[in-house]
Amino acid sequence: MPSQPTKSGIVTDEASGERHIPESVRADGSTRKAIKIRPGYRPPEDIEVYKNPAAESFRTRGKGPPPGSEGLKDEPKPAASASANKNAKRREAARNKAQAAEAAGASAKAPEKAPEKAPEPVVEELDSEVEKAKKARNLKKKLRQVKSLQEKQEEGAALLPEQLAKVLKINELIRELDALGFDSEGEPKNKEADSTKDKTADD
C-alpha cells in the first residue's frame, strides 16, 4: 500500500520500499508516466528548512502573551482549605477595622491642623554658601594640580597634551576663584583684608 505523497509528490511503496512519482494526466488529456526516484535522493521541496528558535521569537516579539504565562493559565488553582478561608476572613476584618480607625483619627485631627509656615530663606542661603565652599574646594584642588604641573614644565619635564591643556587653563581657574571671593592661592579675600587691617592697627 503506497504512503501519503510528500510535498514533491513522491510516494513510497511500503511493501518494496521503492519511491516513485505516480502517473498523472496532463491538462491536454495525455498521460504523464510514473517516475522512479533513486534511493537516497531527496528533492528540495521535501527538505525541511531549519528555523532558529531565537530568531523566530525575535520576529514574533510583542505579538503574543509574555513567555511562560500560557502555562500559568492552564494550572488549576488549588482549593482553599477551611482554615485558610477562616484566616482570610479574619485578615479582611482586621484590615477593615484599621481603615475605619484611621479614617476616624484623620477626621478628628483635621480641624487641629495649623497652617503650614513658609520655608525660611535662611536655609537656602546656607545651602548656597555650602555649594560655594564646595566649588571653591574643587577649584583649589585643580589649581594645586595645575601649579605642580607648571613647576614640572619649568624644570624641563615633558608633559602630555592633556596636561598642557590643564596648564593653559590656570588663568581661568584663578578667575573662577576670584568670582567666588577667593584669591589665586585659594584663600578667602575677607581674611586677607582683616589681616591687613590688623597690621595697620598694630603699626
PDB file of all heavy atoms in Angstrom, residues 141-160 162-174 184-185:
ATOM      1  N   LYS A 141      41.782  72.587  44.506  1.00  0.00           N
ATOM      2  CA  LYS A 141      42.455  71.313  44.229  1.00  0.00           C
ATOM      3  C   LYS A 141      43.000  71.308  42.802  1.00  0.00           C
ATOM      4  O   LYS A 141      44.153  70.925  42.560  1.00  0.00           O
ATOM      5  CB  LYS A 141      41.458  70.165  44.434  1.00  0.00           C
ATOM      6  CG  LYS A 141      42.080  68.787  44.336  1.00  0.00           C
ATOM      7  CD  LYS A 141      41.026  67.732  44.579  1.00  0.00           C
ATOM      8  CE  LYS A 141      41.583  66.330  44.400  1.00  0.00           C
ATOM      9  NZ  LYS A 141      40.559  65.308  44.556  1.00  0.00           N
ATOM     10  N   LYS A 142      42.163  71.751  41.843  1.00  0.00           N
ATOM     11  CA  LYS A 142      42.597  71.807  40.444  1.00  0.00           C
ATOM     12  C   LYS A 142      43.769  72.770  40.284  1.00  0.00           C
ATOM     13  O   LYS A 142      44.712  72.492  39.547  1.00  0.00           O
ATOM     14  CB  LYS A 142      41.433  72.255  39.556  1.00  0.00           C
ATOM     15  CG  LYS A 142      40.391  71.178  39.325  1.00  0.00           C
ATOM     16  CD  LYS A 142      39.294  71.696  38.431  1.00  0.00           C
ATOM     17  CE  LYS A 142      38.185  70.656  38.281  1.00  0.00           C
ATOM     18  NZ  LYS A 142      37.065  71.175  37.485  1.00  0.00           N
ATOM     19  N   LEU A 143      43.682  73.908  40.992  1.00  0.00           N
ATOM     20  CA  LEU A 143      44.739  74.919  40.897  1.00  0.00           C
ATOM     21  C   LEU A 143      46.069  74.370  41.417  1.00  0.00           C
ATOM     22  O   LEU A 143      47.130  74.598  40.817  1.00  0.00           O
ATOM     23  CB  LEU A 143      44.325  76.171  41.686  1.00  0.00           C
ATOM     24  CG  LEU A 143      45.176  77.424  41.484  1.00  0.00           C
ATOM     25  CD1 LEU A 143      45.126  77.880  40.040  1.00  0.00           C
ATOM     26  CD2 LEU A 143      44.698  78.542  42.387  1.00  0.00           C
ATOM     27  N   ARG A 144      46.017  73.611  42.526  1.00  0.00           N
ATOM     28  CA  ARG A 144      47.234  72.992  43.073  1.00  0.00           C
ATOM     29  C   ARG A 144      47.861  72.034  42.053  1.00  0.00           C
ATOM     30  O   ARG A 144      49.074  72.034  41.854  1.00  0.00           O
ATOM     31  CB  ARG A 144      46.908  72.233  44.365  1.00  0.00           C
ATOM     32  CG  ARG A 144      46.877  73.110  45.599  1.00  0.00           C
ATOM     33  CD  ARG A 144      47.029  72.268  46.874  1.00  0.00           C
ATOM     34  NE  ARG A 144      46.055  71.179  46.959  1.00  0.00           N
ATOM     35  CZ  ARG A 144      44.836  71.313  47.494  1.00  0.00           C
ATOM     36  NH1 ARG A 144      44.438  72.483  47.973  1.00  0.00           N
ATOM     37  NH2 ARG A 144      44.027  70.285  47.542  1.00  0.00           N
ATOM     38  N   GLN A 145      46.997  71.226  41.427  1.00  0.00           N
ATOM     39  CA  GLN A 145      47.491  70.263  40.436  1.00  0.00           C
ATOM     40  C   GLN A 145      48.137  70.969  39.248  1.00  0.00           C
ATOM     41  O   GLN A 145      49.208  70.580  38.780  1.00  0.00           O
ATOM     42  CB  GLN A 145      46.334  69.380  39.940  1.00  0.00           C
ATOM     43  CG  GLN A 145      45.826  68.401  40.978  1.00  0.00           C
ATOM     44  CD  GLN A 145      44.567  67.684  40.513  1.00  0.00           C
ATOM     45  OE1 GLN A 145      43.983  68.038  39.505  1.00  0.00           O
ATOM     46  NE2 GLN A 145      44.141  66.696  41.288  1.00  0.00           N
ATOM     47  N   VAL A 146      47.482  72.054  38.788  1.00  0.00           N
ATOM     48  CA  VAL A 146      47.995  72.803  37.634  1.00  0.00           C
ATOM     49  C   VAL A 146      49.334  73.452  37.975  1.00  0.00           C
ATOM     50  O   VAL A 146      50.268  73.450  37.171  1.00  0.00           O
ATOM     51  CB  VAL A 146      46.955  73.852  37.174  1.00  0.00           C
ATOM     52  CG1 VAL A 146      47.554  74.805  36.161  1.00  0.00           C
ATOM     53  CG2 VAL A 146      45.740  73.168  36.578  1.00  0.00           C
ATOM     54  N   LYS A 147      49.432  73.987  39.201  1.00  0.00           N
ATOM     55  CA  LYS A 147      50.689  74.628  39.611  1.00  0.00           C
ATOM     56  C   LYS A 147      51.830  73.614  39.694  1.00  0.00           C
ATOM     57  O   LYS A 147      52.961  73.910  39.309  1.00  0.00           O
ATOM     58  CB  LYS A 147      50.499  75.336  40.956  1.00  0.00           C
ATOM     59  CG  LYS A 147      49.774  76.668  40.816  1.00  0.00           C
ATOM     60  CD  LYS A 147      49.674  77.395  42.122  1.00  0.00           C
ATOM     61  CE  LYS A 147      48.979  78.745  41.934  1.00  0.00           C
ATOM     62  NZ  LYS A 147      48.827  79.468  43.192  1.00  0.00           N
ATOM     63  N   SER A 148      51.528  72.406  40.183  1.00  0.00           N
ATOM     64  CA  SER A 148      52.571  71.367  40.245  1.00  0.00           C
ATOM     65  C   SER A 148      53.008  70.961  38.840  1.00  0.00           C
ATOM     66  O   SER A 148      54.198  70.743  38.591  1.00  0.00           O
ATOM     67  CB  SER A 148      52.070  70.148  41.018  1.00  0.00           C
ATOM     68  OG  SER A 148      51.057  69.492  40.295  1.00  0.00           O
ATOM     69  N   LEU A 149      52.035  70.910  37.895  1.00  0.00           N
ATOM     70  CA  LEU A 149      52.381  70.601  36.503  1.00  0.00           C
ATOM     71  C   LEU A 149      53.235  71.709  35.894  1.00  0.00           C
ATOM     72  O   LEU A 149      54.181  71.455  35.139  1.00  0.00           O
ATOM     73  CB  LEU A 149      51.107  70.403  35.661  1.00  0.00           C
ATOM     74  CG  LEU A 149      50.296  69.128  35.913  1.00  0.00           C
ATOM     75  CD1 LEU A 149      48.974  69.185  35.170  1.00  0.00           C
ATOM     76  CD2 LEU A 149      51.061  67.892  35.485  1.00  0.00           C
ATOM     77  N   GLN A 150      52.900  72.954  36.254  1.00  0.00           N
ATOM     78  CA  GLN A 150      53.648  74.101  35.747  1.00  0.00           C
ATOM     79  C   GLN A 150      55.102  74.059  36.239  1.00  0.00           C
ATOM     80  O   GLN A 150      56.045  74.337  35.490  1.00  0.00           O
ATOM     81  CB  GLN A 150      52.962  75.394  36.206  1.00  0.00           C
ATOM     82  CG  GLN A 150      53.294  76.606  35.358  1.00  0.00           C
ATOM     83  CD  GLN A 150      52.433  77.796  35.755  1.00  0.00           C
ATOM     84  OE1 GLN A 150      51.977  77.888  36.888  1.00  0.00           O
ATOM     85  NE2 GLN A 150      52.219  78.710  34.823  1.00  0.00           N
ATOM     86  N   GLU A 151      55.268  73.688  37.516  1.00  0.00           N
ATOM     87  CA  GLU A 151      56.621  73.573  38.080  1.00  0.00           C
ATOM     88  C   GLU A 151      57.426  72.489  37.353  1.00  0.00           C
ATOM     89  O   GLU A 151      58.613  72.671  37.059  1.00  0.00           O
ATOM     90  CB  GLU A 151      56.540  73.252  39.573  1.00  0.00           C
ATOM     91  CG  GLU A 151      56.135  74.438  40.434  1.00  0.00           C
ATOM     92  CD  GLU A 151      55.843  74.034  41.875  1.00  0.00           C
ATOM     93  OE1 GLU A 151      56.129  72.884  42.236  1.00  0.00           O
ATOM     94  OE2 GLU A 151      55.307  74.875  42.627  1.00  0.00           O
ATOM     95  N   LYS A 152      56.760  71.361  37.065  1.00  0.00           N
ATOM     96  CA  LYS A 152      57.441  70.284  36.330  1.00  0.00           C
ATOM     97  C   LYS A 152      57.881  70.757  34.952  1.00  0.00           C
ATOM     98  O   LYS A 152      58.978  70.433  34.478  1.00  0.00           O
ATOM     99  CB  LYS A 152      56.500  69.077  36.178  1.00  0.00           C
ATOM    100  CG  LYS A 152      56.355  68.240  37.431  1.00  0.00           C
ATOM    101  CD  LYS A 152      55.438  67.071  37.159  1.00  0.00           C
ATOM    102  CE  LYS A 152      55.159  66.266  38.433  1.00  0.00           C
ATOM    103  NZ  LYS A 152      54.204  65.174  38.189  1.00  0.00           N
ATOM    104  N   GLN A 153      56.994  71.549  34.302  1.00  0.00           N
ATOM    105  CA  GLN A 153      57.301  72.049  32.969  1.00  0.00           C
ATOM    106  C   GLN A 153      58.509  72.991  33.021  1.00  0.00           C
ATOM    107  O   GLN A 153      59.374  72.960  32.149  1.00  0.00           O
ATOM    108  CB  GLN A 153      56.071  72.782  32.402  1.00  0.00           C
ATOM    109  CG  GLN A 153      56.219  73.152  30.937  1.00  0.00           C
ATOM    110  CD  GLN A 153      54.997  73.888  30.415  1.00  0.00           C
ATOM    111  OE1 GLN A 153      54.242  74.458  31.207  1.00  0.00           O
ATOM    112  NE2 GLN A 153      54.802  73.894  29.115  1.00  0.00           N
ATOM    113  N   GLU A 154      58.550  73.846  34.073  1.00  0.00           N
ATOM    114  CA  GLU A 154      59.664  74.782  34.221  1.00  0.00           C
ATOM    115  C   GLU A 154      60.978  74.040  34.486  1.00  0.00           C
ATOM    116  O   GLU A 154      62.052  74.497  34.092  1.00  0.00           O
ATOM    117  CB  GLU A 154      59.375  75.765  35.361  1.00  0.00           C
ATOM    118  CG  GLU A 154      58.333  76.811  34.973  1.00  0.00           C
ATOM    119  CD  GLU A 154      57.844  77.625  36.174  1.00  0.00           C
ATOM    120  OE1 GLU A 154      58.360  77.404  37.299  1.00  0.00           O
ATOM    121  OE2 GLU A 154      56.940  78.454  35.989  1.00  0.00           O
ATOM    122  N   GLU A 155      60.874  72.883  35.163  1.00  0.00           N
ATOM    123  CA  GLU A 155      62.069  72.082  35.434  1.00  0.00           C
ATOM    124  C   GLU A 155      62.563  71.344  34.188  1.00  0.00           C
ATOM    125  O   GLU A 155      63.659  70.790  34.183  1.00  0.00           O
ATOM    126  CB  GLU A 155      61.782  71.058  36.535  1.00  0.00           C
ATOM    127  CG  GLU A 155      61.659  71.697  37.926  1.00  0.00           C
ATOM    128  CD  GLU A 155      61.130  70.722  38.971  1.00  0.00           C
ATOM    129  OE1 GLU A 155      60.986  69.521  38.635  1.00  0.00           O
ATOM    130  OE2 GLU A 155      60.852  71.150  40.094  1.00  0.00           O
ATOM    131  N   GLY A 156      61.741  71.325  33.137  1.00  0.00           N
ATOM    132  CA  GLY A 156      62.160  70.697  31.873  1.00  0.00           C
ATOM    133  C   GLY A 156      61.522  69.351  31.614  1.00  0.00           C
ATOM    134  O   GLY A 156      61.906  68.658  30.675  1.00  0.00           O
ATOM    135  N   ALA A 157      60.560  68.955  32.432  1.00  0.00           N
ATOM    136  CA  ALA A 157      59.892  67.663  32.227  1.00  0.00           C
ATOM    137  C   ALA A 157      58.909  67.768  31.059  1.00  0.00           C
ATOM    138  O   ALA A 157      58.271  68.803  30.854  1.00  0.00           O
ATOM    139  CB  ALA A 157      59.149  67.249  33.494  1.00  0.00           C
ATOM    140  N   ALA A 158      58.784  66.676  30.287  1.00  0.00           N
ATOM    141  CA  ALA A 158      57.851  66.648  29.149  1.00  0.00           C
ATOM    142  C   ALA A 158      56.446  66.342  29.660  1.00  0.00           C
ATOM    143  O   ALA A 158      56.252  65.407  30.429  1.00  0.00           O
ATOM    144  CB  ALA A 158      58.291  65.597  28.153  1.00  0.00           C
ATOM    145  N   LEU A 159      55.475  67.159  29.237  1.00  0.00           N
ATOM    146  CA  LEU A 159      54.084  66.974  29.672  1.00  0.00           C
ATOM    147  C   LEU A 159      53.251  66.401  28.537  1.00  0.00           C
ATOM    148  O   LEU A 159      53.526  66.638  27.366  1.00  0.00           O
ATOM    149  CB  LEU A 159      53.493  68.307  30.121  1.00  0.00           C
ATOM    150  CG  LEU A 159      54.125  68.991  31.344  1.00  0.00           C
ATOM    151  CD1 LEU A 159      53.412  70.295  31.630  1.00  0.00           C
ATOM    152  CD2 LEU A 159      54.086  68.107  32.576  1.00  0.00           C
ATOM    153  N   LEU A 160      52.224  65.659  28.924  1.00  0.00           N
ATOM    154  CA  LEU A 160      51.279  65.114  27.946  1.00  0.00           C
ATOM    155  C   LEU A 160      50.380  66.235  27.421  1.00  0.00           C
ATOM    156  O   LEU A 160      50.238  67.276  28.063  1.00  0.00           O
ATOM    157  CB  LEU A 160      50.418  64.040  28.613  1.00  0.00           C
ATOM    158  CG  LEU A 160      51.160  62.779  29.095  1.00  0.00           C
ATOM    159  CD1 LEU A 160      50.223  61.918  29.904  1.00  0.00           C
ATOM    160  CD2 LEU A 160      51.720  62.002  27.927  1.00  0.00           C
ATOM    161  N   GLU A 162      47.139  66.554  27.333  1.00  0.00           N
ATOM    162  CA  GLU A 162      46.049  66.916  28.263  1.00  0.00           C
ATOM    163  C   GLU A 162      46.579  67.694  29.471  1.00  0.00           C
ATOM    164  O   GLU A 162      45.897  68.579  30.014  1.00  0.00           O
ATOM    165  CB  GLU A 162      45.248  65.688  28.716  1.00  0.00           C
ATOM    166  CG  GLU A 162      46.059  64.552  29.290  1.00  0.00           C
ATOM    167  CD  GLU A 162      46.416  63.495  28.265  1.00  0.00           C
ATOM    168  OE1 GLU A 162      46.479  63.812  27.073  1.00  0.00           O
ATOM    169  OE2 GLU A 162      46.637  62.360  28.677  1.00  0.00           O
ATOM    170  N   GLN A 163      47.838  67.383  29.877  1.00  0.00           N
ATOM    171  CA  GLN A 163      48.442  68.134  30.987  1.00  0.00           C
ATOM    172  C   GLN A 163      48.757  69.565  30.566  1.00  0.00           C
ATOM    173  O   GLN A 163      48.571  70.507  31.340  1.00  0.00           O
ATOM    174  CB  GLN A 163      49.719  67.419  31.458  1.00  0.00           C
ATOM    175  CG  GLN A 163      49.448  66.102  32.178  1.00  0.00           C
ATOM    176  CD  GLN A 163      50.714  65.347  32.528  1.00  0.00           C
ATOM    177  OE1 GLN A 163      51.726  65.477  31.834  1.00  0.00           O
ATOM    178  NE2 GLN A 163      50.669  64.562  33.593  1.00  0.00           N
ATOM    179  N   LEU A 164      49.209  69.740  29.322  1.00  0.00           N
ATOM    180  CA  LEU A 164      49.465  71.085  28.799  1.00  0.00           C
ATOM    181  C   LEU A 164      48.174  71.896  28.736  1.00  0.00           C
ATOM    182  O   LEU A 164      48.172  73.094  29.037  1.00  0.00           O
ATOM    183  CB  LEU A 164      50.088  70.997  27.401  1.00  0.00           C
ATOM    184  CG  LEU A 164      51.571  70.578  27.348  1.00  0.00           C
ATOM    185  CD1 LEU A 164      51.984  70.283  25.921  1.00  0.00           C
ATOM    186  CD2 LEU A 164      52.453  71.674  27.932  1.00  0.00           C
ATOM    187  N   ALA A 165      47.082  71.221  28.358  1.00  0.00           N
ATOM    188  CA  ALA A 165      45.781  71.910  28.295  1.00  0.00           C
ATOM    189  C   ALA A 165      45.367  72.381  29.679  1.00  0.00           C
ATOM    190  O   ALA A 165      44.809  73.480  29.844  1.00  0.00           O
ATOM    191  CB  ALA A 165      44.725  70.968  27.720  1.00  0.00           C
ATOM    192  N   LYS A 166      45.669  71.573  30.717  1.00  0.00           N
ATOM    193  CA  LYS A 166      45.362  71.980  32.093  1.00  0.00           C
ATOM    194  C   LYS A 166      46.172  73.197  32.496  1.00  0.00           C
ATOM    195  O   LYS A 166      45.669  74.116  33.135  1.00  0.00           O
ATOM    196  CB  LYS A 166      45.649  70.823  33.061  1.00  0.00           C
ATOM    197  CG  LYS A 166      44.605  69.743  33.075  1.00  0.00           C
ATOM    198  CD  LYS A 166      44.962  68.681  34.090  1.00  0.00           C
ATOM    199  CE  LYS A 166      43.957  67.531  34.091  1.00  0.00           C
ATOM    200  NZ  LYS A 166      44.314  66.498  35.045  1.00  0.00           N
ATOM    201  N   VAL A 167      47.458  73.218  32.118  1.00  0.00           N
ATOM    202  CA  VAL A 167      48.333  74.338  32.470  1.00  0.00           C
ATOM    203  C   VAL A 167      47.825  75.631  31.828  1.00  0.00           C
ATOM    204  O   VAL A 167      47.871  76.708  32.442  1.00  0.00           O
ATOM    205  CB  VAL A 167      49.789  74.041  32.037  1.00  0.00           C
ATOM    206  CG1 VAL A 167      50.667  75.277  32.176  1.00  0.00           C
ATOM    207  CG2 VAL A 167      50.365  72.904  32.874  1.00  0.00           C
ATOM    208  N   LEU A 168      47.320  75.530  30.600  1.00  0.00           N
ATOM    209  CA  LEU A 168      46.815  76.716  29.904  1.00  0.00           C
ATOM    210  C   LEU A 168      45.554  77.281  30.553  1.00  0.00           C
ATOM    211  O   LEU A 168      45.219  78.446  30.349  1.00  0.00           O
ATOM    212  CB  LEU A 168      46.530  76.382  28.435  1.00  0.00           C
ATOM    213  CG  LEU A 168      47.772  76.055  27.580  1.00  0.00           C
ATOM    214  CD1 LEU A 168      47.356  75.551  26.220  1.00  0.00           C
ATOM    215  CD2 LEU A 168      48.670  77.284  27.450  1.00  0.00           C
ATOM    216  N   LYS A 169      44.852  76.444  31.341  1.00  0.00           N
ATOM    217  CA  LYS A 169      43.595  76.885  31.978  1.00  0.00           C
ATOM    218  C   LYS A 169      43.810  77.509  33.348  1.00  0.00           C
ATOM    219  O   LYS A 169      42.845  77.755  34.071  1.00  0.00           O
ATOM    220  CB  LYS A 169      42.637  75.694  32.114  1.00  0.00           C
ATOM    221  CG  LYS A 169      42.014  75.266  30.812  1.00  0.00           C
ATOM    222  CD  LYS A 169      41.040  74.141  31.041  1.00  0.00           C
ATOM    223  CE  LYS A 169      40.391  73.675  29.751  1.00  0.00           C
ATOM    224  NZ  LYS A 169      39.494  72.546  29.968  1.00  0.00           N
ATOM    225  N   ILE A 170      45.047  77.788  33.741  1.00  0.00           N
ATOM    226  CA  ILE A 170      45.324  78.294  35.097  1.00  0.00           C
ATOM    227  C   ILE A 170      44.655  79.645  35.344  1.00  0.00           C
ATOM    228  O   ILE A 170      44.085  79.894  36.409  1.00  0.00           O
ATOM    229  CB  ILE A 170      46.853  78.357  35.352  1.00  0.00           C
ATOM    230  CG1 ILE A 170      47.115  78.669  36.833  1.00  0.00           C
ATOM    231  CG2 ILE A 170      47.534  79.382  34.443  1.00  0.00           C
ATOM    232  CD1 ILE A 170      48.540  78.401  37.253  1.00  0.00           C
ATOM    233  N   ASN A 171      44.690  80.528  34.321  1.00  0.00           N
ATOM    234  CA  ASN A 171      44.078  81.860  34.475  1.00  0.00           C
ATOM    235  C   ASN A 171      42.561  81.757  34.636  1.00  0.00           C
ATOM    236  O   ASN A 171      41.956  82.516  35.398  1.00  0.00           O
ATOM    237  CB  ASN A 171      44.416  82.745  33.277  1.00  0.00           C
ATOM    238  CG  ASN A 171      45.887  83.122  33.255  1.00  0.00           C
ATOM    239  OD1 ASN A 171      46.517  83.227  34.305  1.00  0.00           O
ATOM    240  ND2 ASN A 171      46.437  83.298  32.071  1.00  0.00           N
ATOM    241  N   GLU A 172      41.985  80.797  33.927  1.00  0.00           N
ATOM    242  CA  GLU A 172      40.527  80.587  34.028  1.00  0.00           C
ATOM    243  C   GLU A 172      40.146  80.144  35.439  1.00  0.00           C
ATOM    244  O   GLU A 172      39.160  80.613  36.012  1.00  0.00           O
ATOM    245  CB  GLU A 172      40.116  79.523  33.008  1.00  0.00           C
ATOM    246  CG  GLU A 172      38.614  79.362  32.853  1.00  0.00           C
ATOM    247  CD  GLU A 172      38.249  78.276  31.849  1.00  0.00           C
ATOM    248  OE1 GLU A 172      39.010  78.056  30.891  1.00  0.00           O
ATOM    249  OE2 GLU A 172      37.194  77.661  32.064  1.00  0.00           O
ATOM    250  N   LEU A 173      40.953  79.244  36.042  1.00  0.00           N
ATOM    251  CA  LEU A 173      40.693  78.778  37.411  1.00  0.00           C
ATOM    252  C   LEU A 173      40.806  79.942  38.403  1.00  0.00           C
ATOM    253  O   LEU A 173      39.997  80.066  39.322  1.00  0.00           O
ATOM    254  CB  LEU A 173      41.679  77.666  37.786  1.00  0.00           C
ATOM    255  CG  LEU A 173      41.524  76.328  37.064  1.00  0.00           C
ATOM    256  CD1 LEU A 173      42.702  75.423  37.369  1.00  0.00           C
ATOM    257  CD2 LEU A 173      40.233  75.640  37.448  1.00  0.00           C
ATOM    258  N   ILE A 174      41.829  80.802  38.196  1.00  0.00           N
ATOM    259  CA  ILE A 174      42.009  81.959  39.102  1.00  0.00           C
ATOM    260  C   ILE A 174      40.810  82.899  38.997  1.00  0.00           C
ATOM    261  O   ILE A 174      40.335  83.424  40.006  1.00  0.00           O
ATOM    262  CB  ILE A 174      43.336  82.686  38.779  1.00  0.00           C
ATOM    263  CG1 ILE A 174      44.519  81.790  39.169  1.00  0.00           C
ATOM    264  CG2 ILE A 174      43.425  84.021  39.502  1.00  0.00           C
ATOM    265  CD1 ILE A 174      45.851  82.247  38.646  1.00  0.00           C
ATOM    266  N   SER A 184      44.231  83.978  44.344  1.00  0.00           N
ATOM    267  CA  SER A 184      44.882  82.984  43.486  1.00  0.00           C
ATOM    268  C   SER A 184      45.465  81.812  44.259  1.00  0.00           C
ATOM    269  O   SER A 184      45.727  80.758  43.700  1.00  0.00           O
ATOM    270  CB  SER A 184      45.996  83.651  42.675  1.00  0.00           C
ATOM    271  OG  SER A 184      46.963  84.207  43.560  1.00  0.00           O
ATOM    272  N   GLU A 185      45.666  81.997  45.585  1.00  0.00           N
ATOM    273  CA  GLU A 185      46.162  80.905  46.421  1.00  0.00           C
ATOM    274  C   GLU A 185      45.026  80.058  46.990  1.00  0.00           C
ATOM    275  O   GLU A 185      45.260  79.074  47.688  1.00  0.00           O
ATOM    276  CB  GLU A 185      46.996  81.462  47.588  1.00  0.00           C
ATOM    277  CG  GLU A 185      48.252  82.191  47.159  1.00  0.00           C
ATOM    278  CD  GLU A 185      49.220  81.297  46.423  1.00  0.00           C
ATOM    279  OE1 GLU A 185      49.339  80.117  46.814  1.00  0.00           O
ATOM    280  OE2 GLU A 185      49.844  81.762  45.455  1.00  0.00           O
TER     281      GLU A 185
END
